[in-house]
Amino acid sequence: MRVVALNPDAIGDFVLRTPAFNALLDRGFEVSLAVRDMNMPLVRMYTPRAKAIQYPCNPYGPRFNLDSAEGQQFLEGLRQARPDLLAFASFQYTQFEIDVADRLPGVRCAGFDGLIFKEGFPPFPSEQMRKRLNPCVTVAQHTLEIRKNERLCAAILGEGVTLPAPSLQAPESAVADARIRLRSVGLDGQSFWAVCAGDLPHARVKNWEYAKWAELLAGLVHRHSIQLLFVGSQDEHEVTNHIRSLMGDAASRTASLTGEPGGLESVVGVLELSRGYIGKDTGPMHIAASLGKPVVSVFGAGDWPRFVPAARIGRTVTMVMPCAGCSWCCHLEKSHCVKDVPVDVMARLADLVVSGECKDFQAVELQPDALMSAATVRQSWERSWNVRRAMHEEWGRFNQWHSDRLQDIEHLKAALAVLTKERNALAGAEARLAELSAAVAVEREKWASDQEALEKRLAEYQTAAEQESELVRRADSQLAQLEQNHVTALERAREEANQRFSEAAARSDRELVKLRTALTEAVRHRDDTKHVVERLKAAVTEKEELRARLDSLESESLAKMADLEITLQRSRGDLNTALRVLPQLRSDNAELRRQLDALADHEEIALQRQRAEFDVLEADRVNRGQQIEALHEHIASLNKAFDAYKGRLALRVLRIFGLA
């Protein structure tokens, strides 16, 4: 079975759960642990066979969101683990765990019948989470944490189980890093006790008083000649130095690592090299106990005895007040359960542990004396009386505020009625605007249709004009061709006639020359006169025939030229007819264009007028919508302020009766 265990808590909670995780791994379960960044090194050291998934933020803080990029990456890591079971390892849930369960609806969930944590309010039970859990383990809130984990592990396994105390073997790398850090503060190879006594403002209620820490630690140094090494976070450095300054000359036998950067692995190495742990209830205390080191710690009773360390040797002390188990919602001037633990009692118990005489572990519960109990009761009564008086004053202010808000609500209702009426009027205007828009659309479609028809007719006229232009061009071309052919034929006929006439004249001249020669010979030879005359007559006859043939050719040429002239006149008539029709077509085309432009201008003016009316109505509608939204926002802010005041009032009532 694949199990994903959600661990939203800090170091100590995780250390106390590791035996349960290892028990699941020993049974063959595939375990993935979702932990905060501070606990990632502990997963590798305590449960090396388990997979680690890091929380994207602090689940107990206000800034968590599964819809962010980091939240989606965290969910993707959970889905990749393909869990069959989602285990809520903490008794106190957060909204983060609830959201994760909702995002994985098909995965079975197991956990405690615990409480929901919400910042600013005491933890409270959640019926919704109880229905979601199967199995749901019922256990008292302040039961030892290791016993709680034992019950949850048994419910998951389906069989009884006894868990051992947490156990850790410090890695060699952590020890080597610790030796380097110890060398930097002059404790290389020396025996020392680890001390964690500093704190942060939000956790100061759980810590012992600084002067008492200084007195206890200085006494241990003087009585046992021991070296002390302060450990903790960098944020605790200032308080640590203040405690050391209160120790007097004993501070010379102390050193501190709180002001230096270092990871959790280095702290594990330092605790491994130490003789034991002295300090408050914190994560390093549980790590030291799991390393088998003696533990001396001062506890408060806010969660007593839930987080008592699982140490083999040591003493843990607290003052059990009547208000013990308050989950640190302390209503007193100071937390007496931890602040009033006597120094002499702690010194006596610490001497037993430091000297080596102590061979077991005990959780010592001190009882307050009568004076302290009376003082606690008096403080509680005075605080309750002050809270009650403040509540009466606050109640009067609340009644006045409530009356004012009722009047504001009446005014807002009246304004809302006016706005509703105006909104209805605006809706009517919008309806009319929609009708106008529909009419405009119809007119626009009609105008587009008319424009399309006119453009079609114009295209037809343009086509006809182009065809007529083409006919005129062709007629001009044919006329020019005919004229050219006529001139060419006439010139060719004239050239042929002239050539033939020239040839006939040349032949006649040659014959005349011959005749003259013959006549001369006839004169000389009178006997041949008759023959010469006959030849001369024949030549004259041939000349007449040639002239007749030339006249015939000229008549044929004139007839052809007459036919060409008739054809040319007909072509010119057709051309003149086309030229007479063309201006009329051009005039009709110009008139159609003028009508089309006038219609377009008229439609454009009407459309602009309708658009202007639409813009006015739209601006008025947007203005009314903004007024309505502003009114709704004002009402929402009033409701939010009223709910916040009710929450503060409820919290104060709970504090009066000691429930908060």
Side-chain angles (χ1 to χ4, degrees):
M1 178 184 288
R2 292 181 294 272
V3 178
V4 172
L6 302 182
N7 298 268
D9 305 297
I11 297 172
D13 303 79
F14 178 78
V15 171
L16 293 174
R17 292 179 189 135
T18 54
F21 300 147
N22 285 320
L24 294 176
L25 291 166
D26 292 339
R27 299 302 199 283
F29 284 67
E30 294 182 19
V31 179
S32 299
L33 304 178
V35 297
R36 291 163 64 178
D37 54 350
M38 67 179 73
N39 289 330
M40 291 293 286
L42 297 181
V43 175
R44 295 188 293 270
M45 289 187 283
Y46 281 94
T47 56
R49 293 174 292 172
K51 299 178 182 178
I53 304 172
Q54 183 175 328
Y55 272 86
C57 60
N58 178 10
Y60 289 99
R63 299 177 61 186
F64 68 90
N65 185 4
L66 286 177
D67 293 326
S68 64
E70 295 83 1
Q72 290 297 315
Q73 184 177 359
F74 176 72
L75 284 175
E76 184 60 26
L78 295 181
R79 295 189 181 100
Q80 288 179 0
R82 298 183 293 115
D84 301 309
L85 179 68
L86 192 64
F88 296 95
S90 177
F91 182 83
Q92 185 170 272
Y93 307 114
T94 66
Q95 186 63 39
F96 195 95
E97 278 74 25
I98 297 174
D99 292 344
V100 169
D102 292 339
R103 298 296 179 92
L104 302 173
V107 180
R108 184 166 62 93
C109 299
F112 297 107
D113 183 14
L115 303 175
I116 298 295
F117 170 83
K118 188 173 184 181
E119 190 173 10
F121 294 90
F124 56 92
S126 173
E127 187 64 29
Q128 178 184 0
M129 283 303 298
R130 292 175 183 172
K131 295 179 179 179
R132 186 76 168 82
L133 298 176
N134 180 27
C136 181
V137 179
T138 302
V139 64
Q141 178 179 0
H142 297 295
T143 302
L144 285 174
E145 197 70 9
I146 195 167
R147 301 282 80 84
K148 283 195 184 80
N149 300 325
E150 192 173 78
R151 296 280 302 278
L152 179 60
C153 182
I156 294 175
L157 293 174
E159 60 183 36
V161 63
T162 301
L163 297 179
S167 179
L168 175 63
Q169 181 67 38
E172 294 181 0
S173 59
V175 175
D177 183 62
R179 293 187 189 279
I180 296 174
R181 298 191 69 189
L182 291 175
R183 189 179 304 118
S184 67
V185 295
L187 291 178
D188 185 24
Q190 299 186 36
S191 174
F192 65 91
W193 283 75
V195 177
C196 187
D199 58 31
L200 296 176
H202 72 273
R204 196 154 294 163
V205 66
K206 304 180 182 181
N207 197 10
W208 208 19
E209 292 180 347
Y210 304 150
K212 293 182 178 180
W213 275 122
E215 183 179 352
L216 172 67
L217 297 174
L220 291 175
V221 169
H222 290 144
R223 290 190 297 274
H224 301 280
S225 300
I226 59 174
Q227 294 275 0
L228 301 179
L229 176 64
F230 286 86
V231 296
S233 66
Q234 289 181 285
D235 297 331
E236 299 173 352
H237 182 62
E238 183 178 353
V239 175
T240 299
N241 284 341
H242 177 62
I243 294 173
R244 293 176 68 192
S245 68
L246 296 176
M247 292 176 62
D249 59 350
S252 61
R253 294 186 63 83
T254 68
S256 176
L257 294 176
T258 56
E260 301 178 7
L264 195 56
E265 291 184 354
S266 177
V267 174
V268 171
V270 169
L271 293 173
E272 173 66 24
L273 296 174
S274 69
R275 289 179 57 191
Y277 173 89
I278 303 172
K280 61 179 182 176
D281 171 21
T282 187
M285 175 192 69
H286 293 284
I287 295 176
S290 66
L291 290 169
K293 302 296 180 179
V295 172
V296 177
S297 58
V298 182
F299 260 69
D303 291 315
W304 183 264
R306 180 178 173 186
F307 295 107
V308 170
R312 300 177 183 86
I313 299 174
R315 293 292 185 268
T316 294
V317 183
T318 189
M319 181 78 70
V320 181
M321 303 297 293
C323 55
C326 64
S327 296
W328 293 112
C329 294
C330 187
H331 62 280
L332 302 176
E333 293 179 356
K334 66 176 181 177
S335 51
H336 297 282
C337 58
V338 61
K339 306 293 186 188
D340 290 341
V341 172
V343 177
D344 57 347
V345 175
M346 281 301 305
R348 186 176 68 256
L349 297 175
D351 286 339
L352 291 174
V353 178
V354 173
S355 64
E357 297 178 13
C358 180
K359 302 301 181 182
D360 61 354
F361 177 80
Q362 292 182 13
V364 179
E365 297 182 354
L366 302 179
Q367 300 298 326
D369 56 23
L371 291 177
M372 184 180 297
S373 299
T376 303
V377 172
R378 185 177 66 254
Q379 290 179 16
S380 300
W381 181 83
E382 289 176 353
R383 183 173 178 83
S384 299
W385 177 258
N386 292 333
V387 171
R388 183 179 180 184
R389 182 172 56 190
M391 283 296 299
H392 280 293
E393 295 174 356
E394 192 67 27
W395 184 256
R397 288 193 293 270
F398 171 74
N399 285 334
Q400 182 61 41
W401 179 87
H402 186 258
S403 177
D404 294 340
R405 298 294 78 76
L406 289 177
Q407 292 180 4
D408 291 342
I409 290 173
E410 293 299 326
H411 293 322
L412 291 173
K413 286 181 179 179
L416 183 60
V418 174
L419 289 176
T420 302
K421 184 177 179 180
E422 293 178 353
R423 185 175 62 182
N424 294 334
L426 182 61
E430 289 178 350
R432 292 194 299 273
L433 179 62
E435 294 176 357
L436 290 174
S437 300
V440 168
V442 173
E443 291 294 331
R444 186 177 298 171
E445 291 178 357
K446 183 178 179 182
W447 177 78
S449 178
D450 294 341
Q451 185 179 10
E452 184 179 358
L454 290 174
E455 289 177 352
K456 185 176 181 180
R457 290 177 61 188
L458 178 61
E460 292 176 354
Y461 286 138
Q462 288 177 347
T463 303
E466 291 175 356
Q467 292 177 353
E468 291 173 358
S469 299
E470 181 66 19
L471 290 175
V472 171
R473 186 186 64 78
R474 290 180 180 179
D476 290 340
S477 177
Q478 291 178 359
L479 180 60
Q481 185 66 33
L482 289 174
E483 289 178 351
Q484 182 66 30
N485 294 337
H486 175 71
V487 171
T488 302
L490 184 61
E491 289 179 354
R492 188 180 300 160
R494 287 178 179 176
E495 288 177 356
E496 290 179 356
N498 291 331
Q499 185 178 1
R500 290 179 181 179
F501 182 78
S502 298
E503 292 176 354
R507 285 195 300 270
S508 298
D509 291 339
R510 287 193 299 271
E511 292 295 330
L512 285 175
V513 171
K514 291 179 180 180
L515 289 175
R516 286 176 181 173
T517 302
L519 183 60
T520 301
E521 290 178 357
V523 171
R524 288 194 305 267
H525 302 284
R526 293 178 178 179
D527 294 335
D528 297 329
T529 302
K530 186 177 179 179
H531 179 70
V532 171
V533 171
E534 291 177 355
R535 289 182 63 185
L536 182 60
K537 288 181 179 180
V540 171
T541 302
E542 185 178 358
K543 184 178 181 180
E544 291 296 332
E545 290 178 356
L546 289 173
R547 184 172 294 278
R549 289 181 62 187
L550 180 62
D551 292 339
S552 177
L553 289 173
E554 185 175 1
S555 298
E556 290 177 359
S557 298
L558 291 175
K560 289 181 179 180
M561 288 178 64
D563 293 337
L564 291 173
E565 187 69 24
I566 292 170
T567 303
L568 180 62
Q569 288 178 357
R570 290 177 181 175
S571 299
R572 285 178 178 174
D574 295 338
L575 179 61
N576 291 331
T577 301
L579 292 174
R580 284 195 303 271
V581 174
L582 182 61
Q584 182 63 33
L585 292 174
R586 289 176 177 173
S587 175
D588 293 342
N589 189 12
E591 180 63 22
L592 287 174
R593 285 182 177 274
R594 185 186 63 76
Q595 292 178 2
L596 182 61
D597 293 339
L599 181 59
D601 293 340
H602 177 71
E603 293 295 334
E604 183 66 24
I605 292 170
L607 183 60
Q608 290 178 356
R609 187 182 298 111
Q610 291 172 355
R611 285 178 178 173
E613 294 176 357
F614 177 78
D615 293 339
V616 171
L617 292 174
E618 180 66 16
D620 186 54
R621 184 184 68 79
V622 171
N623 187 24
R624 297 296 184 183
Q626 292 176 350
Q627 292 178 358
I628 292 173
E629 289 178 0
L631 181 59
H632 283 303
E633 290 177 358
H634 184 56
I635 293 173
S637 64
L638 290 176
N639 290 333
K640 185 176 181 181
F642 182 69
D643 292 339
Y645 189 82
K646 287 195 296 184
R648 294 197 300 272
L649 182 61
L651 182 59
R652 289 177 180 175
V653 171
L654 291 173
R655 287 176 177 172
I656 289 175
F657 295 101
L659 299 177

